[in-house]
Amino acid sequence: MTAKDLLHKILEYQHSWEDPHVKDSKPARLRLEQIESLLDAFGLSKKYINLQVQVQYFIGGRKEELSRARYLNEMNNLEYLTGGEFLKDREEHCNAELSQKIIETVTALHPGMEEYITERRLHIHWLFNNLLHFRRDVYKVTYPVGGMLEGFVAGLEYSFYLQNKLKAIITDNLDEIDETLWLILDPAQRDIEMDELKSKYNYTDHDFDSIDHKWRMENY
């Protein structure tokens, strides 16, 4: 399993299971447990915070320098990741492959800017936050619609057909975005075997089709 798999699990969890009325359900809890295990496996949880790092945060509209411990105290592991805080705890050289891609692409788009770009920070933290926000929006747009309504409505079925055709096109063209987010999450792009995830990180591989179906039958 890779950090790209983790990304997809987070997108699905935040879209479908993070709302207050379902977040305490069994399907939501088990999904979050999986995410927590993968965050640990890929070194993306608060367990890996470097307390020596000092960052200036905007607090109450003014800039105030806080310790990482104080700022992150109320933040859970998923928020630590989705807020891009893990990048502050990573050595900059770890992002070398992505940094080179950024420089090559942006200088091709803006000739003559290479010296300006290479002399300054590339702001991978901004890249991550902006691209993850966009990816969430795309996930929401491409989430499949369908299923037979109570009482067949031909017009709605045709609407769903047209929507799903476009969604398929968008989904088929997400590779570069997902690969970039994967490279940010895990520059080594590791593929961790399921046996290792289970033995070292307490990961459980659930049959969510069955779990979700049972939960819906009991609650709707």
Side-chain angles (χ1 to χ4, degrees), residues 6 34 51 65 83 85 87 104 109 122 196 205 207:
L6 168 61
Q34 284 190 339
L51 294 178
E65 190 168 344
E85 290 293 331
L87 287 165
E104 290 175 357
L109 293 170
L122 299 179
E196 182 179 354
D205 191 18
D207 178 4

Side-chain angles (χ1 to χ4, degrees), residues 57-64:
Y57 297 99
F58 283 98
I59 307 297
R62 59 190 177 87
K63 187 174 288 187
E64 178 182 349

Side-chain angles (χ1 to χ4, degrees), residues 6 51-52 84 93 102 124 129 153-154 161 197 205:
L6 168 61
L51 294 178
Q52 301 303 311
H93 68 83
I102 294 171
I124 291 175
N129 286 343
V153 181
Y161 162 76
L197 289 173
D205 191 18

Side-chain angles (χ1 to χ4, degrees), residues 18-191:
E18 204 173 38
D19 287 344
H21 70 285
V22 294
K23 71 176 184 179
D24 293 324
S25 67
K26 183 177 180 179
R29 285 188 288 103
L30 295 180
R31 282 173 166 85
L32 186 57
E33 286 176 6
Q34 284 190 339
I35 289 170
E36 292 277 0
S37 295
L38 293 174
L39 291 175
D40 189 15
F42 290 105
L44 297 168
S45 74
K46 289 172 63 178
K47 174 181 176 180
Y48 301 93
I49 289 172
N50 178 1
L51 294 178
Q52 301 303 311
V53 173
Q54 294 295 307
V55 181
Q56 286 187 320
Y57 297 99
F58 283 98
I59 307 297
R62 59 190 177 87
K63 187 174 288 187
E64 178 182 349
E65 190 168 344
L66 301 176
S67 68
R68 299 302 302 290
R70 182 179 169 192
Y71 181 75
L72 300 177
N73 184 51
E74 300 300 324
M75 188 176 287
N76 62 38
N77 285 325
L78 183 54
E79 291 166 339
Y80 171 77
L81 177 131
T82 56
E85 290 293 331
F86 68 95
L87 287 165
K88 297 182 175 71
D89 296 308
R90 177 187 291 168
E91 295 290 338
E92 194 168 338
H93 68 83
C94 295
N95 300 314
E97 181 180 347
L98 178 59
S99 296
Q100 187 59 35
K101 286 185 177 182
I102 294 171
I103 291 170
E104 290 175 357
T105 302
V106 175
T107 53
L109 293 170
H110 304 282
M113 295 291 288
E114 183 171 0
E115 183 177 351
Y116 176 87
I117 293 167
T118 54
E119 287 178 352
R120 288 160 173 78
R121 292 177 59 198
L122 299 179
H123 299 292
I124 291 175
H125 180 274
W126 289 7
L127 163 62
F128 176 73
N129 286 343
N130 185 267
L131 196 59
L132 181 61
H133 182 80
F134 177 78
R135 186 64 179 86
R136 283 196 196 105
D137 288 343
V138 172
Y139 188 90
K140 182 178 180 180
V141 169
T142 58
Y143 196 78
V145 297
M148 190 68 69
L149 298 173
E150 184 176 348
F152 183 76
V153 181
L156 281 178
E157 286 300 315
Y158 187 60
S159 175
F160 294 158
Y161 162 76
L162 293 175
Q163 291 176 50
N164 286 332
K165 281 183 66 178
L166 178 59
K167 290 179 181 188
I169 294 171
I170 296 172
T171 301
D172 289 343
N173 287 276
L174 285 170
D175 284 351
E176 191 169 4
I177 287 175
D178 284 1
E179 290 287 323
T180 300
L181 288 169
W182 181 14
L183 194 57
I184 296 173
L185 292 172
D186 181 25
Q189 296 193 311
R190 293 162 289 172
D191 191 348

